[in-house]
């Protein structure tokens, strides 16, 4: 009996309370700001802010290559397997391919934290957590802390998701020095935006070190060093150039405390043990013409990175050390691209990629790591963006890659037709 | 003696400058409102130039610098600036301006909006489900937002609360005095063809029928098919086409040729640094533009 009455009583009490609260509101509503409808909101938006903002990015490519493109010389340490058959570029197959389908969810967690999660469903090969981090929203003095899995703030393009790119593919330097997804890792970031009239932002990151120069590709012989293994820092500067122009210049670098790699071929084992560092500069300039739909706008951007890995190489055959030496792998790369809005909703762009201008790889040679030639890639694209939610892009690539055997005569052409659309929340683009 | 006087004046000025509220306004109309309400107690900067479409703007680092230093952000709201203001705000790392804090102010959230479209989806263009966000071209609504802004400023600088309230009230009064003049201007206005649904509040306020839009859907540029449809629908009727400053005139010339209507290019924002007088003058220009096409004589309806 009691159990039955209780909910009823609670409901009645609730209704009374709500009624009282409303009456109280009306009684104290002397604020002239409040509309006659009783509207007193700080903010209005389409969704309730209690629910996370959700957006989905669909990205598909039709690609055609004049011949198989083999990876640039000196960077192809993963060429031993044969899983790269018919795969010319990361995730790109001849013909139709579905690229990353990105699902992004973000919301305020409470008054202290925001949360962001981005899942990438790659083609049909499973789900990866692209980003999953918390970000402080109420630290004083322009400080922000990010923790979780995130895209590092080094350089300019690294923190952008593929749908923010001006080209269909990632710049070679980003892919080859930092990984298929750029520098994306688990860790923490502290950044600081001082309160000055001149924009500058500084940050440091402590990362687990899952990718390239801090990776631990170990099997039976070597033991994994515990993380964190990668420490990065960045600084960005942007002069105030008025309403139509904007530019930003960045410096970044990082230190890896441990690099390990192990390769087994039959009864032979190759081992690399060492550490590394990288440094880079980036610059971006944007011109806003003020014309509608991006007509007359310019974006010019470029980045350069240098990476060094000092490693001891050991080759063991049948438990006997066959070869052992210490060496330094020094590799670098750059890209430079320009984008111009030649008509409302239409833009065109050119990009030059170069990697291995300095190219001492991790490939063991005669008592030293082997050096290779530089590789280049040239890209041109035309995009049509009917709205800010959709984009079609035609891109032509010319591959001028150096091969491991020193042969250059393997120029290849690639054509890509890409669609890239976003569903859901209103897109917001960082600088 | 003169020197000392000047020096003390300068000192006085600098000390008041120091205690001023630092306001960042998204658009120049919002900057006008902040200046009108805040008077000498605020220093106001704006993020969007007056000749731009506030829907589409690219984030600039200087926006984050401005937001980083601000005490108060005054935006139009209702997701008008969603594409750029939110990322700029996040990049600025200024907790005082977070939505829900005293330093975050949306004008559209202070008034009721017309034409809410809760059932809308993106296939209907860049719609705002909560309602038309362009309240800045509605002087009474903007004045009401001004009263709310006075309260927001008073919460941040209580010692000047009465000053802010007084300023906001006198702006509202100015609007009330002007309203009959504008309404008399548009008494016989035939109707207006708008580029985008940004002057609907004003058209409604001044009883001017909106005959159509150059955009087939919000945010979509005019297509040939849509324009020829407009022409066939409006043939023989009287009206005026009002174009924003930032859209190409090409589509407008077709309307001018086919319908013989006057085409008037008007800004929807006051110039940078514009005052409340400039704003009221801008509204008067709009009223006069509405009146450029009169209802045919002998047909009062």
């Amino acid at each position: 009996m009691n159990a039955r009455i209780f909910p009823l009583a609670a409901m009645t009490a609730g209704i009374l309370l709500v009624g009282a609260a409303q009456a109280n509101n009306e009684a104290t509503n002397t604020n002239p700001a409040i509309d006659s409808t009783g509207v007193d909101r700080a903010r209005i938006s389409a969704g309730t802010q209690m629910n996370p903002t959700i957006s989905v990015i669909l990205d598909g490519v039709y690609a055609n290559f004049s011949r198989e493109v083999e990876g640039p010389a000196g960077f192809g340490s993963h060429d031993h397997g044969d899983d790269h058959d018919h795969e010319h570029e990361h995730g790109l197959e001849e013909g139709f391919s579905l690229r990353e389908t990105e699902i992004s969810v973000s919301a305020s967690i409470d008054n202290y934290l925001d949360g962001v999660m981005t899942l990438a469903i790659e083609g049909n090969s499973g789900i990866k957590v692209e980003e999953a981090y918390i970000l402080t929203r109420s630290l004083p003095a322009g400080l922000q802390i990010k923790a979780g899995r995130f895209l590092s703030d080094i350089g300019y393009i690294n923190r952008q998701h593929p749908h923010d790119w001006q080209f269909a593919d990632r710049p070679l330097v980003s892919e080859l020095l930092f990984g298929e997804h750029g520098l994306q890792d688990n860790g923490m970031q502290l950044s600081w935006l001082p309160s000055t009239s001149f924009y500058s932002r500084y940050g440091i990151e402590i990362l687990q070190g899952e990718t390239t120069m801090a990776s631990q590709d170990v099997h039976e012989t070597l033991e994994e060093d515990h993380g964190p293994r990668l420490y990065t820092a960045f600084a960005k500067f942007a002069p105030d150039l008025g309403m139509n122009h904007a530019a930003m210049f960045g410096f970044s670098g990082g230190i890896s405390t441990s690099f390990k790699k192990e390769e087994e071929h039959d009864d032979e084992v190759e081992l690399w043990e060492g550490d590394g560092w990288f440094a880079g500069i980036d610059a971006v300039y944007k011109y806003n013409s003020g014309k509608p739909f991006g007509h007359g706008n310019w974006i010019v951007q470029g980045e350069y990175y240098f990476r060094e890995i000092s490693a001891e190489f050991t080759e063991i055959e049948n438990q006997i050390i066959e070869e052992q030496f210490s060496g330094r792998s020094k590799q670098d790369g750059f890209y430079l691209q320009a984008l111009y809005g030649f008509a409302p909703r239409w833009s065109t762009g050119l990009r030059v990629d170069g990697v291995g201008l300095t190219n001492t790889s991790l490939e063991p040679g005669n008592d030293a790591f082997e050096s290779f030639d530089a590789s280049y890639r040239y890209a041109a694209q035309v995009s049509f963006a009917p709205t800010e939610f959709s984009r079609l892009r035609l891109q032509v690539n010319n591959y001028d890659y150096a091969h491991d055997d020193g042969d250059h005569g393997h120029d290849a052409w690639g054509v890509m037709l890409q669609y890239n659309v976003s569903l859901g929340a209103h897109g917001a683009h960082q600088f | 003696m003169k020197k000392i006087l000047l020096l003390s004046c300068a000192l006085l000025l600098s000390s008041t400058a120091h205690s001023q509220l630092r306001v960042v306004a998204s658009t120049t109309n919002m900057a006008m409102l902040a200046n009108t309400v805040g008077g000498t107690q605020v220093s106001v900067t704006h993020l969007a130039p007056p000749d731009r479409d506030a829907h589409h703007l690219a984030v600039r680092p200087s926006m984050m610098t401005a937001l980083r230093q601000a005490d108060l952000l005054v935006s139009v709201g209702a997701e008008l600036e969603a594409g750029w203001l939110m990322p700029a705000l996040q990049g600025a790392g200024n907790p005082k301006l977070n939505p829900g804090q005293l330093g975050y102010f949306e004008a559209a959230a202070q008034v009721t909006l017309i034409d809410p479209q809760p059932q809308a989806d993106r296939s209907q263009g860049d719609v705002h489900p909560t309602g038309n966000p362009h309240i800045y071209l509605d002087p009474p609504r903007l004045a009401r937002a001004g009263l709310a802004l006075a309260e927001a400023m008073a919460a941040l600088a209580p010692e000047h609360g009465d000053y802010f309230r007084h300023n906001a009230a006198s702006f509202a009064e100015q609007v009330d005095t002007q309203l009959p003049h504008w309404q008399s201007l548009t008494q016989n206005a035939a109707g207006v063809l708008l580029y985008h649904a940004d002057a609907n509040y004003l058209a409604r306020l001044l009883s001017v029928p909106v005959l159509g839009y150059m955009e087939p859907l919000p945010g979509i540029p005019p297509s040939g098919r849509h324009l020829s449809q407009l022409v066939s629908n409006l043939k023989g009727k009287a009206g005026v086409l009002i174009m924003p400053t930032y859209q190409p005139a090409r589509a407008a010339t077709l309307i001018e040729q086919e319908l013989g209507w006057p085409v008037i290019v008007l800004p929807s924002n006051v110039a940078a640094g514009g005052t409340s007088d400039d704003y009221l003058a801008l509204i008067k220009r709009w009223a006069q533009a509405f009146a450029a096409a009169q209802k045919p004589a002998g047909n009062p309806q």
Side-chain angles (χ1 to χ4, degrees):
Chain A
M1 192 69 180
N2 260 351
R4 266 215 217 135
I5 288 172
F6 179 71
L8 198 72
M11 263 169 68
T12 317
I15 290 165
L16 282 174
L17 270 172
V18 169
Q22 269 173 359
N24 193 34
N25 265 349
E26 276 157 32
T28 55
N29 186 358
T30 52
N31 185 346
I34 295 176
D35 204 67
S36 52
T37 55
V39 181
D40 181 17
R41 301 161 293 186
R43 179 192 196 187
I44 44 176
S45 66
T48 89
Q49 298 296 323
M50 290 292 178
N51 293 329
T53 306
I54 299 171
S55 64
V56 178
I57 310 283
L58 304 182
D59 187 343
V61 176
Y62 175 83
N64 205 310
F65 298 89
S66 66
R67 66 165 85 203
E68 197 165 323
V69 185
E70 283 171 37
F75 294 90
S77 52
H78 54 283
D79 275 356
H80 295 279
D82 51 6
D83 52 329
H84 274 246
D85 277 357
H86 311 294
E87 198 172 290
H88 296 265
E89 297 247 294
H90 167 63
L92 274 191
E93 282 174 44
E94 189 98 31
F96 292 101
S97 52
L98 187 64
R99 299 215 301 173
E100 282 183 1
T101 302
E102 217 180 84
I103 302 168
S104 192
V105 176
S106 65
S108 296
I109 294 164
D110 51 27
N111 54 329
Y112 305 112
L113 296 170
D114 285 339
V116 178
M117 182 199 69
T118 304
L119 296 179
I121 305 169
E122 290 187 6
N124 4 19
S125 64
I127 299 178
K128 278 189 88 170
V129 180
E130 189 118 303
E131 290 195 285
Y133 62 82
I134 52 174
L135 178 70
T136 59
R137 50 183 283 130
S138 52
L139 287 190
L143 294 167
Q144 275 185 327
I145 293 174
K146 200 187 257 191
R149 181 173 184 76
F150 54 88
L151 291 162
S152 164
D153 256 325
I154 59 149
Y156 180 71
I157 210 168
N158 194 77
R159 72 179 273 184
Q160 291 186 347
H161 288 270
H163 61 92
D164 286 327
W165 298 344
Q166 315 293 356
F167 288 82
D169 40 13
R170 180 182 287 280
L172 279 179
V173 59
S174 170
E175 182 181 335
L176 297 175
L177 292 191
F178 297 108
E180 285 174 355
H181 299 270
L183 185 51
Q184 173 200 55
D185 214 332
N186 303 335
M188 280 182 80
Q189 179 197 76
L190 172 68
S191 73
W192 178 50
L193 188 77
S195 180
T196 54
S197 54
F198 181 90
Y199 177 95
S200 62
R201 183 164 171 258
Y202 310 88
I204 49 170
E205 292 165 301
I206 303 174
L207 303 170
Q208 186 67 6
E210 289 185 345
T211 47
T212 53
M213 83 199 69
S215 61
Q216 306 283 303
D217 183 11
V218 299
H219 302 289
E220 281 168 14
T221 318
L222 294 177
E223 246 179 71
E224 186 176 327
D225 273 333
H226 65 80
R229 296 179 292 264
L230 187 61
Y231 303 85
T232 69
F234 59 86
K236 298 171 194 293
F237 305 94
D240 185 355
L241 302 175
M243 298 286 177
N244 298 336
H245 306 268
M248 187 144 80
F249 305 94
F251 302 90
S252 53
I255 298 169
S256 144
T257 56
S258 170
F259 169 80
K260 284 188 184 177
K261 188 169 142 72
E262 189 176 330
E263 269 180 25
E264 285 169 69
H265 315 282
D266 303 326
D267 44 5
E268 177 194 293
V269 184
E270 292 179 324
L271 307 171
W272 289 259
E273 275 181 281
D275 50 33
W277 63 274
F278 76 91
I281 51 170
D282 57 276
V284 56
Y285 164 75
K286 294 186 185 184
Y287 171 65
N288 189 316
S289 71
K291 291 185 203 161
F293 302 103
H295 185 196
N297 288 3
W298 277 96
I299 301 176
V300 180
Q301 73 188 63
E303 299 185 53
Y304 170 84
Y305 292 96
F306 178 88
R307 182 190 72 182
E308 182 177 302
I309 295 174
S310 309
E312 185 178 54
F313 174 76
T314 314
E315 187 185 327
I316 302 171
E317 204 173 337
N318 297 323
Q319 318 279 332
I320 300 158
I321 293 178
E322 284 286 312
E323 195 177 2
Q324 191 165 38
F325 65 86
S326 288
R328 286 166 194 268
S329 156
K330 296 178 181 181
Q331 292 180 302
D332 65 354
F334 77 93
Y335 77 92
L336 183 65
Q337 67 185 44
L339 191 84
Y340 174 64
F342 65 90
R345 312 204 274 182
W346 287 87
S347 67
T348 182
L350 291 172
R351 182 185 66 193
V352 181
D353 268 309
V355 286
L357 290 82
T358 304
N359 199 357
T360 308
S361 72
L362 285 164
E363 290 294 315
N366 225 346
D367 259 0
F369 290 130
E370 265 193 89
S371 291
F372 296 96
D373 285 348
S375 292
Y376 296 92
R377 183 176 68 182
Y378 307 93
Q381 64 94 1
V382 177
S383 301
F384 174 60
T387 66
E388 59 189 303
F389 305 101
S390 56
R391 169 174 285 116
L392 291 171
R393 179 182 284 135
L394 177 68
Q395 182 174 331
V396 177
N397 279 5
N398 176 247
Y399 303 88
D400 177 16
Y401 285 176
H403 281 196
D404 290 0
D405 54 11
D407 190 357
H408 266 277
H410 290 283
D411 268 31
W413 290 88
V415 180
M416 284 161 270
L417 185 62
Q418 181 197 21
Y419 68 84
N420 188 315
V421 301
S422 74
L423 289 63
H426 202 288
H429 305 284
Q430 313 280 342
F431 178 78
Chain B
M1 189 62 200
K2 236 181 182 175
K3 259 188 190 165
I4 295 171
L5 209 75
L6 271 174
L7 200 75
S8 53
C9 270
L11 270 175
L12 209 76
L13 275 174
S14 69
S15 69
T16 54
H18 191 73
S19 64
Q20 280 179 329
L21 275 182
R22 282 160 302 185
V23 181
V24 170
S26 64
T27 65
T28 49
N29 280 345
M30 289 299 120
M32 178 284 299
L33 189 67
N35 267 318
T36 302
V37 175
T40 54
Q41 297 305 323
V42 295
S43 68
V44 182
T45 52
H46 64 273
L47 302 177
D51 59 346
R52 299 294 152 84
D53 187 348
H55 290 98
H56 306 286
L57 216 62
V59 179
R60 297 186 313 273
S62 55
M63 289 179 179
M64 294 177 231
T65 322
L67 291 167
R68 169 75 178 87
Q69 296 172 307
D71 301 307
L72 175 63
L73 166 64
V74 179
S75 66
V76 176
E79 299 187 331
L80 178 72
E81 305 105 327
W84 54 276
L85 193 53
M86 283 303 136
L89 201 52
Q90 199 179 47
N94 182 349
K96 286 189 286 187
L97 308 187
N98 283 335
Q101 299 297 311
L102 286 178
Y104 182 87
F105 182 85
E106 270 189 18
Q110 316 305 323
V111 297
T112 45
L113 304 183
I114 61 171
D115 305 331
Q117 300 178 59
Q119 306 303 322
D121 68 36
R122 289 265 156 67
S123 67
Q124 282 135 286
D126 191 9
V127 289
H128 299 270
T130 52
N132 190 323
H134 304 279
I135 62 137
Y136 49 83
L137 280 182
D138 183 6
R141 275 191 170 79
L142 194 65
R144 228 173 301 152
L147 295 173
L149 181 59
E151 297 304 325
M153 287 179 173
L156 290 167
E159 67 275 22
H160 304 301
D162 289 337
Y163 173 69
F164 298 141
R165 288 183 196 104
H166 169 79
N167 288 345
S170 64
F171 176 60
E173 221 167 278
Q174 268 181 295
V175 167
D176 282 345
T177 340
Q178 297 288 323
L179 186 56
H181 295 294
W182 299 326
Q183 280 169 335
S184 69
L185 282 172
T186 57
Q187 225 165 18
N188 291 312
V192 62
L193 177 60
L194 294 172
Y195 181 86
H196 179 74
D198 59 353
N200 297 46
Y201 286 100
L202 191 61
R204 195 175 281 208
L205 183 73
L206 303 182
S207 314
V208 179
V210 176
L211 303 174
Y213 305 99
M214 298 289 276
E215 292 178 329
L217 292 168
I220 307 293
S223 62
R225 196 169 60 158
H226 176 67
L227 289 180
S228 59
Q229 205 171 7
L230 269 181
V231 166
S232 68
N233 285 350
L234 298 172
K235 198 111 203 174
K237 290 185 185 164
V240 54
L241 169 61
I242 302 185
M243 288 288 289
T245 48
Y246 45 78
Q247 292 295 346
R250 206 177 27 172
T253 48
L254 184 95
I255 297 292
E256 198 171 19
Q257 284 165 2
E258 293 290 318
L259 295 176
W261 287 13
V263 176
I264 300 174
V265 178
L266 275 184
S268 53
N269 270 271
V270 295
T275 63
S276 57
D277 286 341
D278 295 328
Y279 175 74
L280 298 174
L282 176 69
I283 297 298
K284 190 178 173 189
R285 281 177 70 192
W286 273 85
Q288 286 166 335
F290 284 157
Q294 297 281 315
K295 283 177 200 157
N299 182 9
Q301 202 42 56

